[in-house]
Amino acid sequence: MSLTAAEIAENNARHATRMARKKAVIDAAIANATDEHGLLIVITGNGKGKSTSAFGTMARALGYGMKVGVCQFIKSRTDTGEEAFFGKLPNVEWHVLGDGFTWDTQNREQDIATAKRGWAVATRMLNDPSYQLVVLDELTYLLSYGYLDNDLVLDTLANRPDMQHVIATGRGATDALIELADTVSIIADEKHAYRDGVKAQPGIDF
Amino acid sequence: MSLTAAEIAENNARHATRMARKKAVIDAAIANATDEHGLLIVITGNGKGKSTSAFGTMARALGYGMKVGVCQFIKSRTDTGEEAFFGKLPNVEWHVLGDGFTWDTQNREQDIATAKRGWAVATRMLNDPSYQLVVLDELTYLLSYGYLDNDLVLDTLANRPDMQHVIATGRGATDALIELADTVSIIADEKHAYRDGVKAQPGIDF
């Protein structure tokens, strides 16, 4: 059904009124948000996009000249696209601190020792205000598997420098981590190419 | 309750057996995923992390030396961290194609004309196999608001070069876009600092 010129004009006018009203609501909300402090952002859930979301935010931070530290707690491979791209930039300190997944090592004591060594690196950054963003990639596993003392980790996060942002990623974030966070996104896995037999793609999956 | 040395050893042995079994299952799944083609990845939902996830994947792709095209369909500001960081890299072509949100323009006809101009830029990339990754940031709004012919958009996506990856972001992805996609993640907004009065932070939110 096609509209007459008068109907189109009326629709457009109604749209403009509705949008003006919406803008007033949004502007008021923006005016209300005046607080500033370092954010703890948690990206969890089973869907694709947790680590990449952290790396994309990192790109933003670097665009503003911020200094960024990255701890990858589980990964052991150092041939990823993200490390090739970010690893050598002057404002970036990049640490691959893992031995692979628990099903790769098959050794719980080794996993715990590795987690503690990795956390020592993170702790140094979380005590140093010169790092404006710290990415704790796959931190959640170290908490949910009990590889680290959960209270110690949460205390260190809570007591970090005021303006330091932190992004923690990984499946199954604990309730205590979610409680402490300022922003939490849960990524649901609606569909994944892998389940249709597509193998992990360089530049996309790693 | 503390465990005896024998109990700890038994737990560790049980852990190793369980993980060996898990590894066999995972290895079989990996061996099964042998197909390779360009992926259409859709990142939708109301949570924080959609565009940043696309930009993080882009960093991975650039780490592998891929050529990347970016269309930002809604955004009109060009002072974002992502553009400052990526915009001038030799393998990146970056286009800010929006006029702001509908409640900023308050003009539906202008929004439609802007969407069509933007889609022409995207179409050129989606017809050119030299772009190995195309990011269509905030595409979903152009479909759900009906600013573009949905069939035309889906046809263009479906008929793009075989090995070209595409990431489309934005809230409220249409069913047809989800159906066409290889991988879909839905990001739920569990918590957002903004609602606690924290204003949008440079380097994190833009």
Side-chain angles (χ1 to χ4, degrees):
Chain A
M1 135 203 113
S2 64
L3 302 175
T4 66
E7 287 167 329
I8 291 171
E10 198 191 312
N11 281 349
N12 286 339
R14 210 178 303 124
H15 174 88
T17 309
R18 219 168 35 229
M19 289 303 126
R21 214 178 298 134
K22 183 159 183 176
K23 183 167 167 58
V25 171
I26 289 168
D27 285 350
I30 290 172
N32 214 31
T34 52
D35 188 15
E36 283 192 272
H37 61 76
L39 299 173
L40 173 60
I41 300 171
V42 172
I43 315 279
T44 189
N46 295 339
K48 180 178 174 54
K50 295 181 290 296
S51 297
T52 50
S53 173
F55 300 139
T57 306
M58 181 174 167
R60 279 192 175 152
L62 292 170
Y64 278 92
M66 292 161 77
K67 177 176 167 185
V68 182
V70 178
C71 297
Q72 293 195 287
F73 287 112
I74 300 292
K75 209 156 272 159
S76 60
R77 68 191 294 176
T78 57
D79 63 341
T80 61
E82 58 265 29
E83 188 177 356
F85 183 69
F86 286 120
K88 288 185 189 74
L89 296 178
N91 274 7
V92 174
E93 190 180 316
W94 192 284
H95 296 274
V96 175
L97 300 165
D99 284 332
F101 296 106
T102 51
W103 55 87
D104 292 320
T105 64
Q106 301 172 23
N107 184 331
R108 186 172 158 85
E109 292 198 320
Q110 179 189 331
D111 289 347
I112 292 173
T114 303
K116 287 184 174 164
R117 272 198 309 277
W119 184 247
V121 174
T123 300
R124 177 175 53 75
M125 294 177 176
L126 295 168
N127 284 325
D128 178 350
S130 78
Y131 296 90
Q132 292 161 286
L133 170 63
V134 179
V135 174
L136 303 175
D137 190 34
E138 300 181 319
L139 174 68
T140 58
Y141 305 103
L142 276 53
L143 297 173
S144 60
Y145 295 168
Y147 289 172
L148 297 175
D149 176 335
N150 276 249
D151 291 341
L152 175 74
V153 169
L154 295 170
D155 276 359
T156 308
L157 288 171
N159 293 306
R160 71 189 194 282
D162 264 2
M163 288 306 297
Q164 185 181 74
H165 301 292
V166 171
I167 308 180
T169 74
R171 295 180 181 214
T174 58
D175 290 347
L177 182 63
I178 287 176
E179 174 62 33
L180 183 65
D182 299 284
T183 294
V184 179
S185 292
I186 302 181
I187 306 192
D189 176 13
E190 175 74 12
K191 206 174 185 183
H192 200 299
Y194 177 68
R195 286 198 297 278
D196 287 330
V198 180
K199 73 190 232 197
Q201 300 286 303
I204 299 294
D205 294 302
F206 57 87
Chain B
M1 134 203 111
S2 64
L3 302 176
T4 66
E7 286 168 330
I8 290 171
E10 197 191 312
N11 280 350
N12 286 339
R14 210 180 300 123
H15 175 85
T17 308
R18 219 169 34 232
M19 288 302 126
R21 215 179 296 134
K22 184 159 182 177
K23 183 168 167 56
V25 172
I26 288 168
D27 285 351
I30 291 173
N32 213 32
T34 52
D35 188 13
E36 284 191 273
H37 61 77
L39 299 173
L40 173 59
I41 300 171
V42 172
I43 314 279
T44 188
N46 295 340
K48 179 179 176 54
K50 295 182 289 295
S51 297
T52 49
S53 173
F55 299 141
T57 305
M58 180 174 167
R60 279 193 175 152
L62 292 169
Y64 278 91
M66 291 161 77
K67 178 175 166 184
V68 182
V70 179
C71 296
Q72 293 196 287
F73 288 112
I74 300 293
K75 209 156 271 160
S76 61
R77 68 192 293 178
T78 57
D79 63 342
T80 59
E82 59 264 31
E83 188 178 356
F85 183 69
F86 286 121
K88 288 186 188 75
L89 297 179
N91 274 7
V92 173
E93 191 181 316
W94 191 284
H95 296 274
V96 175
L97 299 165
D99 284 333
F101 297 105
T102 50
W103 55 86
D104 292 319
T105 65
Q106 302 173 22
N107 184 331
R108 185 172 158 84
E109 293 200 320
Q110 179 188 333
D111 289 346
I112 291 173
T114 303
K116 287 183 174 166
R117 270 199 310 276
W119 184 246
V121 174
T123 300
R124 177 173 54 73
M125 293 178 176
L126 295 168
N127 284 324
D128 180 347
S130 77
Y131 297 90
Q132 293 161 284
L133 170 63
V134 179
V135 174
L136 303 175
D137 190 35
E138 298 179 323
L139 174 67
T140 57
Y141 304 103
L142 277 50
L143 297 173
S144 61
Y145 295 168
Y147 289 173
L148 296 176
D149 178 335
N150 276 249
D151 291 340
L152 176 72
V153 170
L154 294 170
D155 277 359
T156 307
L157 288 171
N159 293 306
R160 74 188 192 282
D162 265 2
M163 288 306 299
Q164 185 182 73
H165 301 292
V166 172
I167 308 181
T169 74
R171 295 180 181 214
T174 58
D175 291 346
L177 182 63
I178 286 175
E179 175 62 31
L180 183 65
D182 298 284
T183 294
V184 179
S185 292
I186 303 181
I187 306 193
D189 176 14
E190 175 74 12
K191 205 175 186 184
H192 200 300
Y194 177 69
R195 287 198 296 277
D196 288 329
V198 180
K199 74 190 231 198
Q201 300 287 301
I204 299 293
D205 294 303
F206 57 88

